[in-house]
Amino acid sequence: MSSGRGTALRVAASKALGAAHPLSTAGVKATTPATSTKPPDPIDKLPMSDQAKQNLKDARDGKYGPAVADQTKKALDATSHLPPTAQAQALAPIGADPKSPAAASAAKVVTSPAFKKLPVDQQTKLCNVVGAASEKGLAALETLMENPARLSDKDLYGHTLVDNLSELATHAVNADLQAATPDARTQVLDGVLQEVSDPGRYVVQGGYNTCQVTAAQYALVQSNPSEYARLMAGLTGPDGRAVMRGGGVLELQKEHLALGADTRSLSNALFQGAGMEFTNGLIEYDAARDQQNYIITEHTGLPLILENGLPANLFGQSYLQNVPLFGNANPHLEFLQQYDTTKNGAPVLLDLALPNMGGGLVHVVTFDHIEDGRVYFRNPWGPSSSPVGTETNSGRLEDPQSGLYSMPVEQMTEILSGIHLPADAVGQFERDQAAQREQWMRPPTPPVPTQTQTPTP
């Protein structure tokens, strides 16, 4: 039993040692353990797969080297103000493979000066294109960003090229086309991106006898890329049809929806097949075999008398077809001498009876300009592997990358079988000529005699 004195001593000792007692809290200020709050990673909010998010983080954090880290950081920053779905589309190529050429192209697109200048709604739509295109489509889009004026080009209804490219990237693909070519959306989008970014290189007839249609197609893509993209969106959409500026309708040719041995892009093949069927009137065109069915016989190509229909509808104006009489092409060349194709989108098409073609066949090309006694034209055969200056049956090769040729005016007059002219431009030219003749024939106005002053007396 403890004594009272012992208890008092223990209490006193406890008070004296309380601050140092391991169980005592006297004299010690209570503290809350420090916790580190790490901000959420913005990549986690993107509607992407977990693997794609991790690839983005690894790329940003340097796992694939400083160059990839730099491009990824810049792409993230350039798209950070956009809706998460748009960001996810823009960054999808990087999330798929940060080291791929597609990832590099995607980053260059969204960090380009042209992208920064676009309104937010246009940036958002362009992100749809980035997310849907393949490597070659993205490379073409990267090239296209170097020409921002084409991005803002407008179609018949005022929609920009970006609007129509986004439509191609997101719209429902025609069911028959989808069944025949499961990746039709990507193939068509890639093809259109290539064609609008560099028409001379990518708008080609391949091994098909579609020169008449391809010559008009090239002019449309060159002068009004948004209208071309609009037509392709309609042609490959659920209805498989597109109404042209002039009211005519292009229809999807369902016998040729999978290319097989056809070397053309899917977009070229579909547009040219639809253009051939529209142009030939009541004649049936087999787009797979490139044959016109004349009931009792078959032929390739198009009758020259029908060639005006497609350009008239694509460009929404009447066309005239003239044939040089007795080889006299001078009146036509006078018109061409002053016709500026960079200001007039409606093309002039030339029917050339090239050597060795035989059988009365002609080759249709797109007129470009006349300079130093030579006629320049774009051949729908497209690029050539021959060097500049090579002399061929179709003239002298001026630009192997675009298929631009030329020949002396004298040689052109010998092989020019026909010429297809926009009526409005011809009418204006004739009015200008008439005004000049009237000016020349008008007698000069006699000078007004000077009045002499009579001196005042």
Side-chain angles (χ1 to χ4, degrees), residues 391-441:
E391 292 288 348
T392 72
N393 287 339
S394 55
R396 185 176 73 193
L397 180 60
E398 301 290 349
D399 182 7
Q401 293 299 314
S402 67
L404 184 69
Y405 289 76
S406 77
M407 65 175 60
V409 169
E410 297 78 11
Q411 182 183 355
M412 175 63 72
T413 60
E414 295 175 359
I415 66 172
L416 186 62
S417 297
I419 180 169
H420 305 269
L421 306 159
D424 290 350
V426 173
Q428 185 60 53
F429 173 68
E430 291 175 345
R431 288 190 292 274
D432 291 344
Q433 280 194 319
Q436 289 178 2
R437 286 194 297 269
E438 183 180 347
Q439 180 68 31
W440 294 335
M441 295 174 65

Side-chain angles (χ1 to χ4, degrees), residues 86-119:
Q87 294 180 58
Q89 291 291 334
L91 301 169
I94 304 176
D97 184 355
K99 298 183 294 181
S100 67
S105 290
K108 289 177 182 177
V109 167
V110 299
T111 59
S112 67
F115 184 86
K116 294 176 182 177
K117 292 179 181 179
L118 289 174

Side-chain angles (χ1 to χ4, degrees), residues 55-267:
N55 288 345
L56 272 176
K57 293 176 183 179
D58 290 342
R60 177 198 60 193
D61 297 340
K63 180 178 178 179
Y64 302 103
V68 172
D70 182 60
Q71 81 176 17
T72 304
K73 290 175 184 176
K74 288 180 178 178
L76 285 164
D77 182 62
T79 58
S80 61
H81 64 289
L82 297 175
T85 52
Q87 294 180 58
Q89 291 291 334
L91 301 169
I94 304 176
D97 184 355
K99 298 183 294 181
S100 67
S105 290
K108 289 177 182 177
V109 167
V110 299
T111 59
S112 67
F115 184 86
K116 294 176 182 177
K117 292 179 181 179
L118 289 174
V120 171
D121 71 304
Q122 294 287 281
Q123 291 180 340
T124 300
K125 290 181 177 180
L126 198 58
C127 289
N128 292 333
V129 181
V130 174
S134 76
E135 179 181 316
K136 66 180 181 181
L138 287 169
L141 181 57
E142 183 183 342
T143 300
L144 186 60
M145 302 305 290
E146 298 172 5
N147 193 349
R150 291 182 74 78
L151 293 173
S152 57
D153 178 67
K154 294 184 178 180
D155 67 11
L156 172 62
Y157 301 107
H159 301 141
T160 67
L161 177 58
V162 173
D163 292 329
N164 288 315
L165 289 174
S166 178
E167 179 69 12
L168 281 167
T170 58
H171 78 330
V173 176
N174 179 271
D176 294 317
L177 177 57
Q178 185 77 49
T181 305
D183 64 339
R185 183 198 306 282
T186 302
Q187 282 199 43
V188 170
L189 178 61
D190 285 350
V192 172
L193 282 168
Q194 289 180 322
E195 287 139 21
V196 299
S197 69
D198 193 347
R201 183 177 179 185
Y202 292 109
V203 177
V204 296
Q205 68 181 90
Y208 281 59
N209 290 304
T210 58
C211 58
Q212 302 97 329
V213 169
T214 310
Q217 176 193 4
Y218 166 78
L220 178 66
V221 179
Q222 182 78 356
S223 64
N224 197 180
S226 183
E227 179 70 0
Y228 174 65
R230 179 187 74 82
L231 293 175
M232 287 305 304
L235 196 60
T236 59
D239 295 334
R241 62 197 308 272
V243 180
M244 292 179 281
R245 190 181 295 271
V249 179
L250 293 175
E251 295 183 347
L252 190 65
Q253 299 306 291
K254 296 186 178 181
E255 70 273 12
H256 191 49
L257 302 181
L259 293 187
D262 190 344
T263 59
R264 296 174 293 177
S265 67
L266 184 58
S267 48

